[in-house]
Amino acid sequence: MNRYARISAISGLDRDFIKNIKVLIIGAGAVGNELIKNLVLFGIKEIHIADFDKIEIHNLTRSVLFRESDIGAFKSEVAAKRASELSEDTQLNFSTKDFWDTFSFDDIKNYDAIICAVDNHEARINANTLANINDILFINTAIDHQSTVVEVFPFNNNSECSCYECVLPEGVYKRISDRYSCGWLRKMASKENIIPTTVVTAGIVAANACTALFDCLKNDEVKDSYRIFFDTKNYLSHGKINLPFSPSCISRSHIIKKFDRLKIRNLGNFDIKSFCKNKSEITMIFSDPILLYTLDKNKRKEIYFKRSKDFDESILL
């Protein structure tokens, strides 16, 4: 009997399908650990783990791949190393920088799905954008001490399905803006939002996310975005809830409506000189607010042309 005989015996999980799946997992904390463990045991082809955080002692109660000797090391690196001990059939790669700075459009196209396992709305919005533009399956996960949420956006089957920002409450944008000044410089006194969690909720949400991953990649009839909620304390679930498309979605109005979808898919080889030739006026929309320049007391200008959030308000002092 081969290693995957019991898995392959399940309808829809044949070896030829599973062994060719390539996934980008953003976040290697509690949920990320469970996702990585599950997918390696299934024997998928490749997992890239993106996380710039380092292991702290409180991570040890929720992260099966971490040990006390790992404290201070990068989560993504340790997770990749430990997961490789579970199976040699899955290629494990990792990055210790922000995925938004690391992956190009061409890089993203190498994966079948992006799974977000972070508690940061900005990261989720960025991951949604990358998946949406490249027509790749996007799965978002969220947990607290008793509840789990999996949101599935099958861009791979339907490029016009609702996206993460279609169903995002307005209050989220307010919380994001509270972290930045009016010029989108990072506020020096911004506080991190700590969410209490356990390995129980992490395990459940990761299991649901893996099931959704296989279903959406195997079944091209899954065309509508949906959410799965489960309350682990009261054993309450609302089943699969379809997520509505929003014509006024911020993500679509800023990206999809400004560019032809066929052109934007080829931005990896985009030639700006040819694009701008013989055009009297060009409007370009950037993915992030840009710090163009600063002026000192003598009105002397210093040019930056870098992302505003790479700086905090101390640059103005």
Side-chain angles (χ1 to χ4, degrees):
M1 183 176 288
N2 68 61
R3 181 184 183 101
Y4 302 102
R6 297 293 180 91
I7 295 175
S8 299
I10 300 172
S11 176
L13 295 180
D14 56 276
R15 190 73 199 127
D16 288 340
F17 165 59
I18 295 290
K19 71 179 183 180
N20 289 308
I21 296 174
K22 300 168 70 175
V23 175
L24 167 61
I25 295 178
I26 301 170
V31 176
N33 263 241
E34 293 295 314
L35 286 167
I36 296 161
K37 178 258 294 180
N38 290 352
L39 293 177
V40 167
L41 292 179
F42 270 101
I44 72 169
K45 182 175 183 179
E46 181 181 337
I47 300 172
H48 188 108
I49 309 164
D51 197 321
F52 55 77
D53 279 342
K54 294 185 178 181
I55 299 169
E56 300 178 53
I57 192 167
H58 65 83
N59 297 130
L60 303 183
T61 60
R62 297 167 288 118
S63 307
V64 68
L65 300 175
F66 300 158
R67 309 288 182 266
E68 194 159 343
S69 59
D70 298 322
I71 293 174
F74 283 105
K75 290 179 180 179
S76 57
E77 182 175 6
V78 174
K81 177 182 177 182
R82 288 275 153 63
S84 67
E85 297 171 2
L86 298 177
S87 172
E88 295 181 352
D89 293 328
T90 300
Q91 179 183 336
L92 287 143
N93 304 312
F94 69 91
S95 52
T96 59
K97 295 182 179 180
D98 190 329
F99 74 93
W100 193 237
D101 302 329
T102 304
F103 291 91
S104 67
F105 289 123
D106 288 337
D107 294 331
I108 293 296
K109 291 175 184 176
N110 290 324
Y111 299 97
D112 299 298
I114 299 175
I115 306 180
C116 211
V118 297
D119 56 5
N120 179 299
H121 287 294
E122 289 171 86
R124 289 166 173 159
I125 289 171
N126 288 341
N128 171 75
T129 299
L130 289 177
N132 192 351
I133 289 173
N134 291 286
D135 293 337
I136 292 171
L137 171 64
F138 176 52
I139 299 176
N140 176 55
T141 65
I143 58 174
D144 60 20
H145 68 288
Q146 73 179 60
S147 303
T148 73
V149 173
V150 173
E151 295 173 321
V152 181
F153 305 96
F155 301 126
N156 58 314
N157 294 332
N158 178 16
S159 61
E160 301 303 324
C161 66
S162 63
C163 77
Y164 176 70
E165 288 196 81
C166 283
V167 293
L168 204 58
E170 287 295 328
V172 170
Y173 297 106
K174 173 64 169 58
R175 290 197 294 273
I176 291 174
S177 65
D178 286 344
R179 297 178 55 198
Y180 299 95
S181 69
C182 58
W184 286 96
L185 300 172
R186 285 182 289 109
K187 289 185 178 178
M188 298 170 66
S190 64
K191 295 181 180 179
E192 181 182 1
N193 184 28
I194 304 298
I195 301 175
T197 60
T198 71
V199 70
V200 171
T201 51
I204 290 173
V205 81
N208 286 335
C210 289
T211 299
L213 171 74
F214 298 141
D215 185 34
C216 290
L217 293 182
K218 186 74 172 180
N219 184 4
D220 59 10
E221 294 183 0
V222 179
K223 297 185 181 298
D224 295 325
S225 302
Y226 63 89
R227 176 185 293 137
I228 300 172
F229 169 85
F230 185 70
D231 181 337
T232 64
K233 185 176 181 180
N234 299 304
Y235 309 107
L236 176 66
S237 174
H238 299 304
K240 186 186 290 187
I241 304 170
N242 285 341
L243 299 176
F245 174 86
S246 173
S248 60
C249 170
I250 292 177
S251 176
R252 293 186 180 279
S253 63
H254 282 190
I255 298 174
I256 305 304
K257 292 181 181 178
K258 296 294 183 182
F259 294 93
D260 179 84
R261 290 187 66 84
L262 294 177
K263 289 181 180 178
I264 202 167
R265 289 195 192 103
N266 297 321
L267 283 182
N269 300 314
F270 185 62
D271 184 349
I272 190 170
K273 290 184 178 179
S274 297
F275 182 77
C276 295
K277 189 176 182 181
N278 299 324
K279 290 183 173 65
S280 60
E281 184 176 334
I282 297 294
T283 298
M284 300 196 71
I285 298 175
F286 295 92
S287 61
D288 300 270
I290 303 295
L291 174 63
L292 295 176
Y293 61 87
T294 58
L295 295 174
D296 63 17
K297 294 179 180 179
N298 297 317
K299 304 296 183 181
R300 288 177 298 194
K301 182 184 295 185
E302 183 169 357
I303 304 294
Y304 286 92
F305 204 77
K306 295 181 179 180
R307 294 186 310 177
S308 297
K309 67 180 183 181
D310 290 340
F311 303 89
D312 61 36
E313 293 175 313
S314 63
I315 198 172
L316 303 176
L317 300 178

